[in-house]
Amino acid sequence: MADYIPELARANPDHFGIVLATADGRIYAVGDTDVPFTIQSISKPFSYGLALKLLGREQVQRKVGVEPSGEAFNAISLDPQTGIPRNPMINAGAIATTAQISHAIGADAERLLLEFFSDLANRPLSIDQAVYRSECESGHRNRAISHLLRNAQVIETDPEQGLDLYFRQCAISITCRDLAVMAATLACQGSNPLSGDHILEPEIVTRMLALMGTCGMYDYAGHWLYDVGMPAKSGVAGGVLAVVPGRLGIATYSPRLDAYGNSSRGIAVCEEISQRLGLHLYNQNPGLTTPIRRSSNATFQQSRRLRNTQEESQLAEQGGQVRILHAQGVIDFADCELLLAEIQRLSNKARVLLLDLVQVTEVQPLCWPLLATQFELLRQRGIPLVLSRCQHLPLDPALTPYPRYSSFDEALEAAENLLLGGALHSNPEAGDQPSWTHVLKDVDPELIEPMMRLRRLEPGEAVIERGQAGDSLFIAQSGLYSTTVDLQELDGQFRATRMATFAPGMCFGEIAFISGLPRSADVICTTGGFCWELLREDFDQLRLHHPQAAIQLLLALANDLGAKLGRTNVQLSLMEQL
Ligand code: GLN
């Protein structure tokens, strides 16, 4: 164990703890993971990060370099070329860094530093006064380094002041668990996965990790990167902190050190974890994620806007030209490139593109311009784009001109409309004939005509209300009629969901009319228009006096229902394949 700081020699050499903290905040701990010890050199990358945050890169780099040194951590030397310490992971560089913080912040520096470390660990931390005093009294070598820095003008004020803050920083008392949380914060680009607090900018964390990668394990750094392949930092009290960027933080505690001053068991544990879990930075699987959850077209997925026979056959024939992409995950450059390639590939066959983003949790800012460029190319080629369910994403202004829908069904309807008629919205005109002549074509018109009443509806007016007696049936003459029910979605919330939209010529309200049960849902005329109504009492008269015609009417309704059910069955079966 380290004994050049006398107080450190008092630790229990058999203590041994391992903690893994994942990027989404789960913690796996075994052994002595709550035993306090001092952070020592593991504080170095963090105080460097704090200096970058407070003072900026330019000012910090004027006083400390970023090259590996190849010398012992406590070497009393400066880079002969630049006259400053080679990097912030050796003592000279760390003291220069902390002195800058001390100089810039003054009396408040210790409090600020402690708060910063506490935020990283998600727990209020304190300084082990005994270890601090012990190093203060015995740290002649660091004192020499500090004065050397003063002499070289790296430190421009009292060399004792910065040194004192450095000793305090090294004496911050932490546990193995704390260290793992700090490591996970680095794995999460500076956001603490437990508190969710954003503590450091990703650019700063990137630099901290880079220096840990090249200089974190002292003269063992090359070997470490070769075998373990993770940015890491060790401390003489026996801690090791390692980071798998984007995935997890690892911490070990075991006070016995090897010849380089790294925890012997800590090194062995990290080596084994890296190998057994395949975590080496340079051993990345190229096909881990796909941004495309599903790729389909409008013959497989159809909106709940019911179509007339002509539109239906056109969709069956050309639906393949409405290409539907359901994207997913966090879209970074690699995912974005895959997405763009897929859009490019599809665009040769597509006439309309629908991009559904509900399963996308984040689009990294650098991807927006790439997407915008691709969409602009589509636009130039006359391929319209419809966006679906992107309300949770901070959409880039370049994408706001494209039509967006908060429901997938509506987006799909718009895409179908674009294919069918070239416009997003279609409000079909009434034909010259009364529309019932189509549905009820086999029923004697002489008998039917006197029974059909034309009703006029304002936009938004309800034709049918839930719970009413089902004592009439309707056939749309003009306008659109939608029926919705409140469905519980995956998030537990109930939302009005469209079951169907009926267009001119289509029959609705027939289910309750036939069954005699109360209405199960509202039907609203969304556009305003006219529809035909047939009352049960008239139908009953027909049954009485013209049973043959009544049978014909029921057969016509059965046919219509059968066709609707057939369509629904096909859609359901196709959806199972998706
Ligand atoms: N406080 C110790 C020193 O400066 C830290 C060294 C270390 O952990 N490697 O010597």
Side-chain angles (χ1 to χ4, degrees), residues 439-443 473 507 510-511 513-514 539 549-567:
V439 191
L440 305 178
K441 57 181 180 303
D442 295 331
V443 194
L473 108 89
C507 173
E510 74 279 26
I511 296 178
F513 182 79
I514 295 170
F539 176 69
I551 290 174
Q552 234 120 37
L553 192 145
L554 286 174
L555 271 177
L557 293 184
N559 262 328
D560 187 65
L561 262 178
K564 284 176 187 157
L565 190 58
R567 220 176 293 134

Side-chain angles (χ1 to χ4, degrees), residues 4 40-41 73 91 135 142 166 170 218 235-236:
Y4 73 100
Q40 298 301 339
S41 281
F73 74 92
N91 286 9
E135 187 167 15
N142 282 332
Y166 170 75
C170 288
Y218 309 121
V236 284

Side-chain angles (χ1 to χ4, degrees), residues 400-476:
T400 48
Y402 298 97
R404 283 169 282 162
Y405 294 88
S406 58
S407 103
F408 177 71
D409 186 40
E410 282 172 49
L412 186 51
E413 178 186 348
E416 291 167 354
N417 287 343
L418 285 167
L419 179 80
L420 292 170
L424 275 179
H425 304 286
S426 80
N427 185 2
E429 292 290 312
D432 316 331
Q433 296 280 317
S435 54
W436 52 266
T437 54
H438 173 66
V439 191
L440 305 178
K441 57 181 180 303
D442 295 331
V443 194
D444 182 355
E446 303 273 296
L447 294 172
I448 289 288
E449 186 161 10
M451 303 194 311
M452 299 304 283
R453 294 147 202 249
L454 194 59
R455 267 181 62 181
R456 182 196 153 85
L457 292 145
E458 297 302 320
E461 190 178 342
V463 197
I464 287 176
E465 281 173 49
R466 201 176 148 207
Q468 283 176 336
D471 45 17
S472 56
L473 108 89
F474 299 89
I475 296 168

Side-chain angles (χ1 to χ4, degrees), residues 191-198:
S191 291
N192 186 310
L194 296 189
S195 65
D197 290 347
H198 194 71

